[in-house]
Amino acid sequence: MQQQHNKLLPLIIFFLAIINNGDTLTQHNMGYHPPLGSDMPPQMTPKFLTRGHLYKVIIGETIELPCKVQNLGSFVLLWRKGTSVLTAGHLKISRDPRFKIVGDYNLQINGVKTQDAGDYICQLGDQENRDQVHTVEILVPPTLRALPHNGQVTARKGSTVTLECKASGNPVPTIYWNKKDAFSGSTHLADSSTLMLENVDRHHAGVYQCSADNGVKEKVSMDIQLTILSPPEITVEKSWIHAAEGHDADLVCIVHGDVNSEMLWYQNSFLLDPTDRRSMHSRDDRYNLHIRNFQSSDFGNYSCVADNALGRTKKYIEVSGRPGPADFISPALSGALDHYNLTWTIESIPDITDVKLLYRRLLMNETYQHPGKWHESHIKLVPQRLGATHFIMSYVIKNLEHNAVYEAIVQANNAHGWNEISDIHQFYTKNPDVFFDLDMEYKMGIAAGSEGIHHKRYNSNALLLLLFLTGGVALVFSNNFYRIF
């Protein structure tokens, strides 16, 4: 049909000329210029007042392409795209209702489509075939398609997983991946259409989000849920629990990954069932064994066992009446030259009946550390209650060397026996040749250039360690300044 319109174009132009001039088409109308000396006025040459331009328009919107000509006279303006003529003058040739002439001879396209992209030519119907070209680019917002389409991926532990998103749009969208986390927010992983995860485990499970953005309107995103199938993995809230007769006790195991695992509780290898004093319950991935009115028969080794189709996992919890390990709270630096006030706390519901203290000097220089012989003392203390389940104790270790490093460990006893020996606590006695204010900072530079003198800024711990390692001396210049040499 468009070809038929193009064949009729000369005839259309002829009738347009008649309408414009109110007379038949003359040689003058067809671009003929009369010879010199003729009475007919000369024809002014048409001139484009607008210029060709690149127009970018979002799909579905409306665009207007300008075409303004000076001295058009009786010439006819054509709009065409390729070989297809859209309009001739104010007469529309194309049957597409989205095209129309507005203003003088501007071409308006409503609800642009992807196929509207290309070159649009505003052409003068004269013998020179002068024209003006506008290029239209259609911008398309990004769209996404996840693979698989349901957004659910399941994989076995240790396998390789490939997540994929396909995007389309103009310009070509950029795809990037994030892993969503309810606590830490989103973590950026990659900028590509595929995301490969190798040797997956429970830490890889979760929601992965692929997003596409090309700067046209808003970005789009899709979520993919990754589930990892594996034997259950268990962690315990506490591997050692202090308990006492008449009190309640709670044991907690956390199952990671497959929360549909079956959980069983054992005491000393015997399967436990609910009783009037013993109950089991779970919430999400936390499994709790609650024992009320604890009895001496309840002490022992407990285990939580999780089962699923891929395997079984077991974790142990010891429930004991013995004291917990000592937790030292005294500062490392002694305020004295020859003694140190050692302070610690111990978890125990029954009274502490005996305390054993061991300490030794640690010989050290820049290249090695050599521990000395342990000094053991059974000390007589009156522990102070610190709440219902803890005690606080303090003991002064005397006759220590000046400017020395020591280590100490503590063990305590109650009605149920001795606790595990504590971690080593390291402390220092004062150096009589060191004078400085530990709370002050080195706030002013000291003039450099003195031979053998090094000026640095230290916090109190770093300065103390440096002095012990090098045998250096710190001199006070004022309340706020010191130097080391």
Side-chain angles (χ1 to χ4, degrees), residues 234-379:
I234 302 175
T235 58
V236 296
E237 195 169 70
K238 292 182 179 180
S239 60
W240 183 91
I241 293 176
H242 178 71
E245 289 92 342
H247 292 74
D248 291 356
D250 282 288
L251 289 68
V252 178
C253 283
I254 303 168
V255 179
H256 303 278
D258 187 1
V259 296
N260 296 316
S261 299
E262 181 185 10
M263 174 65 79
L264 300 174
W265 288 95
Y266 291 82
Q267 181 191 9
N268 300 325
S269 302
F270 292 98
L271 180 64
L272 297 178
D273 293 317
T275 66
D276 57 341
R277 291 193 306 108
R278 192 166 55 217
S279 61
M280 298 93 163
H281 58 273
S282 64
R283 182 176 180 181
D284 297 329
D285 57 354
R286 294 173 60 87
Y287 292 81
N288 182 278
L289 172 61
H290 180 71
I291 304 173
R292 295 187 300 106
N293 190 22
F294 205 87
Q295 306 296 315
S296 59
S297 60
D298 295 322
F299 290 116
N301 289 314
Y302 289 77
S303 58
C304 51
V305 179
D307 247 326
N308 68 12
L310 298 176
R312 164 181 284 207
T313 307
K314 179 187 293 187
K315 286 291 183 178
Y316 293 94
I317 301 173
E318 180 185 355
V319 181
S320 172
R322 296 179 297 117
D327 183 18
F328 297 99
I329 60 174
S330 50
L333 176 64
S334 173
L337 298 172
D338 59 357
H339 62 271
Y340 177 71
N341 190 358
L342 183 67
T343 306
W344 66 95
T345 63
I346 286 181
E347 181 182 8
S348 179
I349 297 174
D351 290 339
I352 300 295
T353 59
D354 196 8
V355 177
K356 186 188 300 182
L357 167 66
L358 292 90
Y359 68 93
R360 66 184 178 185
R361 184 177 177 183
L362 186 63
L363 302 176
M364 57 188 296
N365 60 24
E366 295 179 354
T367 59
Y368 77 100
Q369 296 183 7
H370 180 69
K373 181 181 178 181
W374 285 110
H375 299 275
E376 181 176 341
S377 299
H378 284 265
I379 56 180

Side-chain angles (χ1 to χ4, degrees), residues 113-163:
K113 303 177 181 178
T114 54
Q115 58 263 36
D116 294 329
D119 291 337
Y120 289 79
I121 303 168
C122 180
Q123 187 177 53
L124 282 170
D126 64 356
Q127 293 177 343
E128 297 182 11
N129 291 321
R130 287 169 293 175
D131 52 30
Q132 184 174 100
V133 180
H134 295 301
T135 301
V136 175
E137 181 180 345
I138 308 301
L139 304 180
V140 182
T143 57
L144 265 180
R145 183 166 57 94
L147 298 175
H149 303 298
N150 62 0
Q152 300 290 327
V153 176
T154 301
R156 283 181 175 268
K157 178 183 177 181
S159 63
T160 297
V161 176
T162 300
L163 308 179

Side-chain angles (χ1 to χ4, degrees), residues 75-97:
F75 293 105
V76 177
L77 282 179
L78 303 180
W79 275 105
R80 61 183 178 84
K81 183 186 178 187
T83 58
S84 300
V85 177
L86 305 176
T87 64
H90 286 88
L91 182 65
K92 191 173 79 168
I93 307 302
S94 171
R95 291 192 174 187
D96 192 328

